[in-house]
């Protein structure tokens, strides 16, 4: 059948519009339920399922429906958002509050005009005035964690966020407790229990722990990369590249030979550039993967290398891209002019201007031949070719074949 409008799949269901009416279909393409019959009236808009509930709008009010097509929270809000961490943000009388899965208010819609999405710790920014107002922190339980006093709240990492107000930068944890007071000139990225910060009274960067204490002695002009697998990349003198160093979590330096220069460090693996390299045909290959002692893990050199991701890294030789696993074995032959690694470990290829999908072993799942391929929720690929769109399962079999 042909739909006038479709949503992406979420929790095994996708919203579709047919004959000006909204409903949901499952991954086999069969109708799951008629949303308008469940809502008892015309549905003007609908969201995707999150934590078993999807919002819908009928008339001027929003409510929520479950995956069985039952209205669990009747339409009563002027705006509703997806459920996260067992709670959802809703708007009532121009104020934003927080409800549970039964529709009961955890935080009444009285004080805040805006509450942002919850992060994975269930914490969100809240505003008494928007735009232009100060920011406070609330959680999915409906608790107000901090005063509304920040001008900037950074992304939470390992349960900590860099915050800022007129006095300077600080660090708070997911409970809203200030670990570093709001007095620093700058604070870097929190990682592995340590965060670099620059104090106005003392030049250079120092690393602090989760108690707000200086972790080790040492001031650095630049922090190039926060701690990863117990090591960070720093530079003592920003004008002297030879002072670019790798340190461990005690502040001790990792020595490298003079002819070897590290390029990146992720997941315990270094990427190096060797000054001499090795000759292969008409080209000299300089790049290799190694450990902290600069030992070449795979005994191979490459024209170009990328960091490992999901146990696979992209490498380039003879102007063609391929991929290696953590044992240095080729999982995708170096034959593609373009190779892009996806979040789930699969890779989109282009030969030369069309896309396909291969698995981690290099076996084709979907043969190249599409203008665009997108990985969606529910182990589904969305494929585009010209004006046609289709959906395929993770094994490459069709759910809906290409159609306009």
């Amino acid at each position: 059948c042909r739909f006038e409008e479709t949503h992406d799949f979420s929790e095994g269901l996708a919203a579709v519009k047919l004959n000006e009416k909204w409903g949901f279909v499952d991954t086999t393409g069969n109708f799951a339920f008629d949303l308008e019959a469940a809502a008892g009236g015309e549905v003007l808009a609908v969201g995707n399922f999150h934590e078993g509930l999807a919002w819908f709008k009928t008339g001027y009010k929003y409510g929520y429906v479950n995956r069985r097509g039952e209205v669990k929270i009747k339409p009563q809000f002027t705006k509703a958002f997806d459920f996260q961490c067992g709670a959802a943000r809703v708007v009532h009388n121009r104020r934003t509050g927080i409800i549970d899965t039964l529709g009961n208010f955890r935080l009444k819609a009285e004080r805040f005009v805006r509450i942002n999405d919850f992060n994975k710790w269930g914490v969100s920014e809240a505003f008494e005035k928007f735009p232009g107002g100060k920011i406070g922190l609330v959680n999915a339980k409906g608790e107000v964690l901090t005063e509304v006093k920040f001008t900037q709240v950074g992304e939470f990492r390992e349960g900590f966020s860099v915050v800022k107000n007129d006095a300077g930068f600080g660090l708070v944890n997911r409970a809203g407790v200030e670990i570093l007071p709001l007095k620093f000139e700058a604070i870097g990225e929190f990682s592995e229990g340590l965060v670099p910060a620059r104090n106005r009274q003392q030049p250079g960067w120092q690393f602090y722990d989760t108690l707000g204490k200086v972790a080790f002695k040492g001031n650095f002009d630049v922090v190039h990369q926060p701690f990863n697998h117990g090591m960070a990349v720093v530079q003592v003198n920003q004008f002297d590249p030879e002072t670019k160093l790798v340190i461990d979590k005690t502040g001790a330096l990792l020595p490298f030979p003079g002819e070897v220069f590290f390029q990146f460090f992720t997941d315990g693996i270094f990427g190096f550039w060797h000054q001499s390299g090795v000759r292969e045909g008409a080209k000299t290959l300089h790049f290799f993967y190694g450990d902290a002692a600069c030992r070449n893990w795979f005994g191979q050199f490459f024209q170009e290398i990328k960091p490992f991701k999901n146990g696979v890294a992209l490498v380039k030789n003879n102007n063609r891209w391929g991929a290696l696993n953590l044992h240095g074995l080729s999982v995708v032959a170096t034959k593609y002019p373009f190779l892009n690694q996806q979040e789930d470990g699969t890779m989109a290829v282009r030969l030369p201007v069309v896309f396909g999908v291969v698995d981690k072993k290099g076996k084709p799942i979907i043969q190249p031949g599409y203008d665009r391929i997108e990985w969606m929720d529910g182990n589904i690929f969305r494929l585009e070719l010209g004006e046609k769109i289709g959906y395929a399962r993770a094994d490459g079999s069709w759910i809906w074949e290409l159609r306009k």
Side-chain angles (χ1 to χ4, degrees), residues 252-274:
L253 307 181
L254 275 69
F256 296 120
E259 61 181 357
V260 175
F261 301 89
F262 68 90
Q263 305 298 301
F264 54 79
F265 175 72
T266 56
D267 297 333
I269 301 173
F270 285 92
F272 290 112
W273 185 88
H274 194 285

Side-chain angles (χ1 to χ4, degrees), residues 108-257:
K108 291 184 178 180
E110 297 175 343
R111 177 178 178 183
F112 299 108
V113 298
R114 178 186 175 103
I115 298 174
N116 288 345
D117 289 345
F118 296 112
N119 60 28
K120 68 179 181 180
W121 290 281
V123 179
S124 175
E125 302 89 359
F127 303 79
E128 292 177 335
K129 177 184 176 182
F130 188 88
K134 296 290 179 71
I135 310 168
L137 295 176
V138 300
N139 65 20
K141 297 178 181 179
E143 299 169 333
V144 179
L145 303 177
T146 69
E147 299 177 30
V148 181
K149 63 180 181 179
F150 307 121
T151 57
Q152 179 180 319
V153 175
E155 178 184 354
F156 273 77
R157 297 180 182 274
E158 300 177 23
F160 294 84
S161 171
V162 177
V163 294
K164 182 180 183 296
N165 69 5
D166 297 336
F169 288 89
L171 186 76
V172 299
N173 64 17
R174 61 187 179 186
V177 177
E178 287 189 16
I179 304 302
L180 293 179
L182 290 150
K183 67 176 185 179
F184 287 84
E185 183 180 14
I187 297 179
E189 181 180 330
F190 191 96
S191 180
E192 298 188 359
L194 296 174
V195 63
R198 194 169 64 227
N199 198 321
R200 287 191 174 94
Q201 285 72 42
Q202 185 173 356
W205 294 85
Q206 287 185 304
F207 282 89
Y208 293 81
D209 62 21
T210 56
L211 299 177
K213 306 295 183 182
V214 175
F216 50 80
K217 293 182 179 180
N219 289 323
F220 310 101
D221 277 1
V222 184
V223 177
H224 291 284
Q225 184 175 318
F227 277 95
N228 178 279
H229 278 65
M231 287 173 275
V233 181
V234 297
Q235 191 164 328
V236 177
N237 186 340
Q238 61 180 319
F239 302 110
D240 183 0
E242 293 188 1
T243 66
K244 188 176 181 181
L245 311 165
V246 178
I247 60 173
D248 64 20
K249 296 178 81 169
T250 68
L253 307 181
L254 275 69
F256 296 120

